[in-house]
């Protein structure tokens, strides 16, 4: 009887510890999300006219297709190009996933910009290893020597983007890209759920000074854009 009781007590103790840990993780994630959203409010702009002037506009990558780009990318491009045309920024830094030969976000975006928006090729720098927002900002600082920037992204991703950029030492603000085509409610819900966890990961990446997968030689955004092409 003693053994049965001891084993049962052990199980209860383990379950209690697991529940306490889960509760602690839940509280931690809520606190991180609230903190990140509240602490970046003054760094996020919804109106282009209010965006302060910065040298570089950073366009984080997203899904591209063989001959076109996704609506997410299109919104970011429209926002970035409008900022440059209005004199808010001078150079583009397009960041994205080019980790495979058969998938290339950055050249796809660059080609789209030149073909449909007549953007000067020499103004577009390409970051082929921007596999995440954290890596994009880290490489913007250490590879492309960006000091100040406007990052264009969707409203949902703005707090995390602003948090990462500024914690990594960039003088950066975020401009919420206006929606050209309205996204479905389920899409926004999916983004919100994913972003809830992504903010926690971003907090930990910053706290533990995570390194990007790739760095490489410096290609200053003040220099020749062609050095970043392939």
């Amino acid at each position: 009887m003693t053994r049965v009781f001891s084993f049962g007590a052990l199980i209860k103790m383990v379950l209690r510890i697991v529940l306490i840990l889960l509760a602690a993780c839940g509280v931690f994630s809520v606190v991180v999300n609230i903190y990140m959203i509240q602490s970046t409010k003054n760094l996020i702009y919804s109106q282009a006219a209010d965006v302060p002037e910065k040298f570089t506009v950073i366009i984080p990558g997203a899904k591209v297709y063989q001959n076109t780009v996704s609506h997410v990318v299109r919104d970011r491009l429209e926002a970035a190009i409008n900022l440059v045309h209005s004199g808010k920024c001078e150079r583009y830094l397009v960041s994205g996933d080019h980790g495979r030969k058969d998938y290339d976000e950055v050249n796809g975006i660059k080609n789209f910009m030149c073909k449909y928006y007549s953007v000067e090729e020499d103004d577009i720098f390409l970051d082929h290893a921007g596999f995440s927002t954290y890596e994009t900002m880290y490489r913007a600082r250490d590879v492309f020597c960006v000091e100040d920037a406007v990052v264009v992204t969707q409203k949902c991703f703005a707090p995390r983007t602003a948090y990462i950029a500024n914690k990594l030492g960039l003088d950066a603000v975020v401009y919420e890209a206006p929606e050209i085509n309205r996204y479905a409610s389920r899409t926004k819900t999916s983004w919100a759920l994913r972003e809830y966890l992504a903010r926690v990961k971003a907090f930990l990446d910053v706290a533990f000074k995570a390194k990007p997968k790739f760095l490489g030689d410096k290609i200053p955004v003040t220099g020749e854009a062609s050095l970043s092409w392939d």
Side-chain angles (χ1 to χ4, degrees):
M1 292 295 293
T2 303
R3 289 182 180 178
V4 173
F5 174 78
S6 298
F7 181 74
L10 178 62
I11 292 297
K12 288 181 179 179
M13 182 179 69
V14 170
L15 289 175
R16 190 176 295 114
I17 292 172
V18 170
L19 290 174
I20 291 172
L21 289 175
L22 288 174
C25 288
V27 171
F28 175 73
S29 65
V30 169
V31 171
V32 165
N33 271 266
I34 293 173
Y35 165 66
M36 199 170 289
I37 292 170
Q38 294 298 321
S39 66
T40 57
K41 281 185 174 181
N42 64 330
L43 299 171
I44 298 170
Y45 295 83
S46 59
Q47 300 297 322
D50 298 329
V51 176
E53 293 183 10
K54 306 289 183 182
F55 186 75
T56 306
V57 58
I58 300 176
I59 306 169
K63 186 70 175 178
V64 299
Y65 306 100
Q66 187 171 0
N67 296 311
T68 189
V69 299
S70 62
H71 290 311
V72 171
V73 171
R74 183 72 177 274
D75 286 353
R76 294 175 185 179
L77 289 182
E78 290 270 351
I81 291 167
N82 286 338
L83 289 176
V84 172
H85 284 176
S86 63
K88 297 286 187 178
C89 304
E90 296 183 36
R91 297 288 179 88
Y92 301 93
L93 175 57
V94 175
S95 182
D97 183 351
H98 188 191
R100 311 189 310 267
K101 289 184 178 180
D102 61 342
Y103 185 69
D104 181 355
E105 288 181 356
V106 291
N107 275 297
I109 294 172
K110 172 175 168 284
N111 294 338
F112 195 87
M113 292 171 71
C114 294
K115 181 176 180 179
Y116 293 100
Y117 294 97
S118 300
V119 175
E120 290 293 332
E121 193 175 39
D122 290 339
D123 290 334
I124 307 173
F125 285 74
L126 301 182
D127 176 7
H128 301 266
F131 303 121
S132 67
T133 303
Y134 182 83
E135 289 173 291
T136 291
M137 300 308 150
Y138 199 114
R139 286 172 53 81
R141 183 194 68 186
D142 285 20
V143 175
F144 296 94
C145 305
V146 172
E147 296 181 358
D148 61 333
V150 179
V151 189
V152 290
T153 191
Q154 279 65 32
K155 181 177 181 178
C156 180
F157 314 127
R160 176 168 57 92
T161 302
Y163 178 82
I164 293 171
N166 284 271
K167 286 297 182 180
L168 290 180
L170 296 177
D171 174 15
V173 298
V174 174
Y175 174 40
E176 297 173 350
E179 294 180 18
I180 299 172
N181 297 297
R182 288 290 180 183
Y183 299 103
S185 296
R186 63 182 180 182
T187 297
K188 291 185 176 181
T189 299
S190 175
W191 284 354
L193 292 173
R194 186 182 66 180
E195 193 63 13
Y196 182 86
L197 297 177
R199 291 186 192 119
V200 176
K201 182 180 184 301
F203 180 87
L204 295 175
D205 282 341
V206 169
F208 291 101
K209 300 180 180 179
K211 300 291 185 182
K213 187 174 182 179
F214 299 108
L215 280 174
D217 298 333
K218 293 184 183 299
I219 308 174
V221 75
T222 53
E224 295 183 23
S226 60
L227 296 176
S228 67
W229 306 342
D230 69 354

